[in-house]
Amino acid sequence: MAEVDTARFLADLHALRRIGAFRTGVHRPTYSPQDMESRRWLMARMEEVGLAPEMDGLGNVLGRHPGPGRKLLVGSHIETQNEAGWLDGALGVVAGLALARAGLAVDVAAFADEEGHYGNMLGSRSMTGALPAEELAAARHAVTGRPLAEALAEAGLAGRPLLRLDPARYRGFLELHIEQGTQLESAGMRSGVVTGIVGARVFRITAIGQQDHTGGTTMAERKDAVVAAMRVLALIDERFPMHVGPRTVWTCGRIAIEPNQPHIIAGRAEMIFQFRDIDEAVLDRLSALLARIVQEVGRRDRCTLALEEASRSPAAPADPALHAALRAAAERHAPGAWMAMPSGAIHDAQVLARVMPMAMLFTPSIGGISHHWSEDTKEEDLALALRILADAAEQALRE
Ligand SMILES: [Zn+2]
């Protein structure tokens, strides 16, 4: 069995943690000086473990194994959310280094901007050929609106070619990541073998009523867009539970009311509503149910309701063979202390799954906290995850 150096793995994680350190976490937003320093740090570590590193025009870092034969691709991202945790992303990249150091035939990748400072999974989509040139050219910072091209130029990346992965080179992609939830911790488990990444559907639901005076307009006359919007949400909460899977989640995170004044009956209400599940059949069922609810409310509240699917990301099931290798390895290294579970969060692995077999492994997140500087995982659980990952990788490479 491949001998992984867990002490060196933890030391590397702590070294990366010092770049952009913020309290016990890190602040390395994409293309910041700290982010670029971490990418150069990574390339130096890749060379040390015998990989040939390259950084492309988006800051993607790929370390290629020089040997013959099919490889596993192992990785994640190394930029962070603002003032965020030390493990989100970094864990999967540094685990790849440890596997290469142990002599396994792996390439290691750090995909740029998974955290979405400038777009939606720009790095992994670019490397898998799923990023249209127009989208790349138009990309801007999500908050400041600064053009991506400007940030790339300042980071010294302008004019560099973009790397493209060759799926035929790989047996598949493995990503080790923190759970960013409480499922493992509350079940008393030390490791989670991911069954797949949930699909998400996002809808814009608009109710158009009649803007009017709150005193002068009788109840019988009203076409109140807020009432219609609230009724849609109430019916969703009443009826969805009969049609969902065990881990379906649904959220209305934004309601915009016009004119949003205390003494005016609203003429317009717009909601952004989303649901997620691992099973596309469940997502289809909920899409149909949502359409029925919207239609019913339109009739009942005399408002014009419009339902528009704003975006969707398909569910990405784990590759059965890679998943089985992780399960077997988890049972060898942590008998009875691991469980299978879906990933409710989006990861680079979801993008990679469109071009090659994919599997993921989770470590517990203490208190479920992530996207915050206090994010943490017990070091013995980090070391355990590395041993499971290495064991599964070795098995997958033998097949
Ligand atoms: Zn992440």
Side-chain angles (χ1 to χ4, degrees):
M1 202 186 292
E3 271 301 312
V4 281
D5 186 343
T6 55
R8 184 67 197 272
F9 163 65
L10 293 170
D12 276 352
L13 277 171
H14 283 289
L16 183 51
R17 184 185 200 169
R18 284 192 285 276
I19 305 176
F22 176 83
R23 300 197 185 189
T24 63
V26 289
H27 181 69
R28 287 197 306 265
T30 318
Y31 310 129
S32 63
Q34 294 76 21
D35 175 47
M36 295 310 295
E37 186 184 340
S38 72
R39 290 175 198 281
R40 289 188 295 270
W41 174 90
L42 174 63
M43 290 175 79
R45 297 293 81 69
M46 284 173 166
E47 267 183 52
E48 280 172 8
V49 300
L51 302 177
E54 252 188 286
M55 177 151 47
D56 81 354
L58 265 178
N60 288 309
V61 177
L62 178 65
R64 286 194 182 88
H65 187 277
R70 284 220 291 179
K71 312 291 181 297
L72 274 168
L73 182 62
V74 183
S76 191
H77 58 95
I78 54 173
E79 84 284 333
T80 69
Q81 292 283 340
N82 294 332
E83 300 175 359
W86 67 298
L87 295 169
D88 182 356
L91 178 61
V93 176
V94 173
L97 284 176
L99 264 50
R101 190 179 289 119
L104 292 164
V106 298
D107 286 3
V108 178
F111 301 105
D113 202 37
E114 190 272 350
E115 294 291 5
H117 293 275
Y118 285 88
N120 172 24
M121 317 293 277
L122 291 180
S124 49
R125 283 171 65 218
S126 170
M127 287 186 81
T128 54
L131 180 63
E134 315 80 67
E135 183 181 336
L136 183 58
R140 288 170 174 275
H141 192 273
V143 178
T144 66
R146 184 188 198 201
L148 170 64
E150 221 177 277
L152 291 175
E154 193 180 288
L157 294 169
R160 284 199 199 201
L162 296 173
L163 285 167
R164 180 72 64 89
L165 293 168
D166 171 17
R169 179 177 164 87
Y170 298 108
R171 167 65 187 85
F173 175 67
L174 291 178
E175 184 169 1
L176 173 62
H177 205 280
I178 52 168
E179 182 201 346
Q180 304 176 291
T182 56
Q183 302 291 308
L184 289 171
E185 191 177 75
S186 44
M189 296 294 177
R190 298 183 60 200
S191 196
V193 181
V194 174
T195 52
I197 301 171
V198 299
R201 296 192 189 176
V202 181
F203 296 85
R204 181 177 294 109
I205 308 168
T206 314
I208 309 280
Q210 177 66 54
Q211 185 176 324
D212 226 326
H213 192 284
T214 49
T217 315
T218 64
M219 296 313 284
E221 287 170 323
R222 288 176 188 220
K223 295 174 179 170
D224 188 332
V226 167
V227 170
M230 293 306 114
R231 199 180 314 277
V232 168
L233 293 181
L235 288 178
I236 286 170
D237 243 37
E238 188 182 311
R239 294 182 191 168
F240 264 41
M242 273 102 77
H243 300 266
V244 295
R247 284 287 307 279
T248 311
V249 290
W250 60 94
T251 310
C252 175
R254 196 176 84 193
I255 304 176
I257 294 164
E258 286 174 26
N260 205 22
Q261 295 298 325
H263 304 298
I264 301 176
I265 299 165
R268 189 174 193 278
E270 182 187 279
M271 298 178 282
I272 304 296
F273 176 71
Q274 60 154 286
F275 46 80
R276 300 179 186 218
D277 195 86
I278 190 73
D279 184 348
E280 288 286 332
V282 170
L283 297 173
D284 287 341
R285 209 153 68 210
L286 295 178
S287 291
L289 176 59
L290 179 62
R292 288 200 298 277
I293 289 173
V294 166
Q295 205 178 35
E296 182 182 326
V297 171
R299 278 199 303 269
R300 185 164 165 179
D301 290 307
R302 291 172 295 130
C303 288
T304 305
L305 266 78
L307 175 66
E308 177 203 344
E309 189 176 305
S311 68
R312 70 161 68 184
S313 60
D319 173 68
L322 291 178
H323 179 72
L326 282 170
R327 291 176 82 110
E331 187 56 27
R332 276 194 290 277
H333 295 274
W338 65 277
M339 66 185 212
M341 61 185 297
S343 169
I346 307 291
H347 299 289
D348 289 307
Q350 186 178 35
V351 176
L352 271 292
R354 291 173 207 157
V355 297
M356 67 179 81
M358 168 281 286
M360 284 191 82
L361 184 67
F362 276 168
T363 66
S365 294
I366 295 171
I369 294 167
S370 186
H371 287 183
H372 186 270
W373 54 265
S374 64
E375 163 198 293
D376 208 359
T377 297
K378 289 181 195 155
E379 297 209 347
E380 59 263 38
D381 289 343
L382 296 174
L384 170 67
L386 181 69
R387 287 194 290 271
I388 294 172
L389 193 74
D391 189 353
E394 194 175 21
Q395 191 182 322
L397 286 165
R398 260 202 311 266
E399 279 164 6

